[in-house]
Amino acid sequence: MAQTTWHDGAVDDHGLVAAVLAGEQEAFRSLVEREQGAVYRACLRILGRPHDAEDVAQESFLMAYRSIGTYRGDGPLGGWLMRIATRQAFRRLGQRRDVAELSPDLPIGAPGGDPVAATLAGEQQRAVRLAVAALRDPYREVVALRFFGELSLDEISAATGRPLNTVKTHLRRGLEKLRPLLGTEAAA
Amino acid sequence: MTRPPFDPRDADTQPVELDPVARELERYADLTAGELPDSLAERVMASVAHEPTPRRGLLAALFGLIGADRGAPRLLLVGATMALGVLAVVLAGQIAGLLPDEQIGPSPSPSVIELPSVSPSPSPTPSAEPTATPRTTRSPRPSASPSASPSDDDERETPEPDETAEPSDDDNSGPGGGGGDGDDNSGPGGGGGDGRDGRDDGGSGSDSG
C-alpha cells in the first residue's frame, strides 16, 4: 500500500491497525502524526512539565504499538490511545511525587514578563493538576479524558466500554469532588 | 481533535454549582495547550523501529509487553513461576497417591489410650480370641502389670495396626478418628466489584485522597 494513503487519512482505524499488524510501520507513523498533538497536550496538562510530557507521550505510543493487537475497534483509535496516555501520565506523576519536588512548576502559558503573575499562575495550574490527580478512578479518568484529553463523552464511553450515562455520572461526581479542592465553592 | 466546550448536560443533570469547576478546568486546558515538540514523531518511530511486529490477541500482546524492552529476565521469571506451580500440583498429587488407604480416614489409635481400665486382662500374654469386650483395642504387648500405672502409658500408646485391624470388625468402639466431613460451606461469596461493570456504582466514597 502506498505511503501517501496513510497520510491522506483515507484509511479508517481498522485498516490502520490491520496494516500495523501486517508489519507496516508507516501506518503507525500516520497514527502518531495524527494523534501526537492531543496525546502530548494531555500529558502536559497532567504532568505540567514539557520534558516529562514528551517522554510519557513517547512511552504511550510505544506501549500502544506493542499492544495494538488488543484494540477491538469498539471506539476510535484516538480514544484508546488517549486512555493509555492518561494512565501513563498519572503513573509518572505518582512516581514523581515519590521523589521530592525541589522546584515548583513554571506556568506553561507564560503570562507576560511579570514574575509575580507568573508565580501565581504556576501555583494555580499546579493546584488544578494536583486536584485532578487526587481524584479516585473512575472519576479521575473521566475528568482527565474529558478536559485534558479532549474527548467527547461518546468517545469516552466507547474507549472505556462504559455506558454513556455511567460516564456522565462519573463526570458529575468527579466535578463534585473537585469543587472543594479547587476553591470554587464560594463562586457558586 | 478539538475539544467540544463543556455543556452542563454532559454531567448528567449537573447542578449549577458544578459549572465553575468545569470552567476552571477548561481555562486550565486552554492555558496549557503547549507547543508540540517537532521531534516527537521521529522519536516514537525510532523506538518503534526496534520493536517486533505486534501480533493480534491479548496473549500475544501480553507476551510482547513482557518480553520487549524488559528483556529475558522477566520472561524467565514468569516461566519459572509457572513451572513451580505445575511442580507443586504434581507433588501434591503424588503425595496423595502414596498414602495407604489405612492411613486415610479414621485412625483407631486414640481408642487405645481411652480404654485401659475397661478390661484389664489377667493373662500376661495377649489373647488372640476375639471377645465381645473392647479388649481388642488393648496393647499388643504383654504387660506384666496391666493395671494402669503411669509408667506404662508409653507402651500402650503404640499399637501395631495389623493386630487391631482384625478384631475391629465387630468392635465399633473407637471414638477416635472421625475426620472432618469436609462440608465447610464457607464460601465468602465474592467481594465487591471495582465499579467498572458499566453500571453506576452507588456509593462513591467520600474521601478523594
Side-chain angles (χ1 to χ4, degrees), chain B residues 31-167:
Chain B
L31 277 174
T32 51
E35 289 291 319
L36 179 68
D38 295 332
S39 60
L40 179 58
E42 294 308 317
R43 282 178 57 186
V44 170
M45 291 315 294
S47 56
V48 161
H50 301 293
E51 294 288 322
T53 301
R55 284 171 289 179
R56 188 179 292 280
L58 188 62
L59 201 59
L62 180 67
F63 276 111
L65 283 175
I66 290 171
D69 190 40
R70 292 170 177 85
R74 180 168 289 203
L75 194 59
L76 281 177
L77 187 66
V78 172
T81 308
M82 290 173 66
L84 271 179
V86 170
L87 193 64
V89 170
V90 169
L91 271 178
Q94 284 192 345
I95 287 171
L98 282 176
L99 284 176
D101 290 342
E102 296 88 37
Q103 293 184 12
I104 303 175
S107 165
S109 56
S111 64
V112 176
I113 305 168
E114 299 294 331
L115 302 170
S117 62
V118 173
S119 67
S121 172
S123 67
T125 58
S127 169
E129 57 188 34
T131 61
T133 61
R135 86 201 260 186
T136 53
T137 58
R138 177 177 52 103
S139 165
R141 289 190 181 182
S143 170
S145 59
S147 62
S149 70
S151 62
D152 292 333
D153 286 346
D154 290 339
E155 288 184 0
R156 282 188 290 204
E157 285 177 357
T158 59
E160 299 280 343
D162 52 348
E163 288 191 15
T164 57
E166 140 180 48

Side-chain angles (χ1 to χ4, degrees), chain A residues 147-167:
Chain A
F147 290 98
F148 298 168
E150 307 175 0
L151 296 184
S152 69
L153 293 184
D154 286 326
E155 288 170 327
I156 296 172
S157 170
T160 59
R162 298 175 198 139
L164 182 62
N165 283 334
T166 304
V167 172

Side-chain angles (χ1 to χ4, degrees), chain A residues 10 13 22 33 41 51-53 59 66 77 82 100 102 110 117 123 136 140 144 152 161 168:
Chain A
D13 286 347
E33 292 180 348
R41 284 193 297 273
H51 185 71
D52 285 357
E59 285 173 15
R66 287 173 185 159
L77 193 54
M82 187 63 72
L102 297 178
E123 283 301 312
R136 285 188 306 138
R140 180 176 73 176
S152 69
K168 287 183 175 184

Side-chain angles (χ1 to χ4, degrees), chain A:
Chain A
M1 205 172 289
Q3 183 176 340
T4 50
T5 309
W6 308 122
H7 296 279
D8 289 347
V11 178
D12 63 355
D13 286 347
H14 290 278
L16 215 61
V17 171
V20 173
L21 290 173
E24 295 194 42
Q25 291 196 340
E26 280 305 310
F28 192 73
R29 177 189 289 276
S30 74
L31 173 68
V32 173
E33 292 180 348
R34 191 182 80 188
E35 303 291 341
Q36 62 177 343
V39 167
Y40 172 75
R41 284 193 297 273
C43 293
L44 182 63
R45 287 163 182 152
I46 291 172
L47 291 163
R49 296 178 183 177
H51 185 71
D52 285 357
E54 193 175 345
D55 275 354
V56 171
Q58 183 184 348
E59 285 173 15
S60 303
F61 277 115
L62 191 58
M63 188 170 288
Y65 180 79
R66 287 173 185 159
S67 56
I68 201 165
T70 63
Y71 172 68
R72 292 178 300 179
D74 296 338
L77 193 54
W80 178 78
L81 185 60
M82 187 63 72
R83 201 175 181 209
I84 294 175
T86 52
R87 280 185 177 177
Q88 283 292 105
F90 280 122
R91 189 169 298 157
R92 170 69 70 92
L93 191 66
Q95 292 167 353
R96 207 170 70 181
R97 274 195 213 141
D98 296 339
V99 181
E101 287 198 42
L102 297 178
S103 60
D105 298 338
L106 293 174
I108 297 168
D114 186 359
V116 176
T119 305
L120 283 176
E123 283 301 312
Q124 202 166 4
Q125 290 178 8
R126 187 167 183 268
V128 174
R129 271 197 303 277
L130 293 182
V132 174
L135 291 176
R136 285 188 306 138
D137 276 333
Y139 314 117
R140 180 176 73 176
E141 181 179 48
V142 172
V143 169
L145 289 175
R146 174 65 183 82
F147 290 98
F148 298 168
E150 307 175 0
L151 296 184
S152 69
L153 293 184
D154 286 326
E155 288 170 327
I156 296 172
S157 170
T160 59
R162 298 175 198 139
L164 182 62
N165 283 334
T166 304
V167 172
K168 287 183 175 184
T169 304
H170 288 165
L171 180 61
R172 175 172 58 81
R173 291 193 179 155
L175 294 177
E176 283 172 356
K177 290 169 186 298
L178 280 176
R179 195 155 64 101
L181 299 174
L182 292 181
T184 51
E185 285 174 310

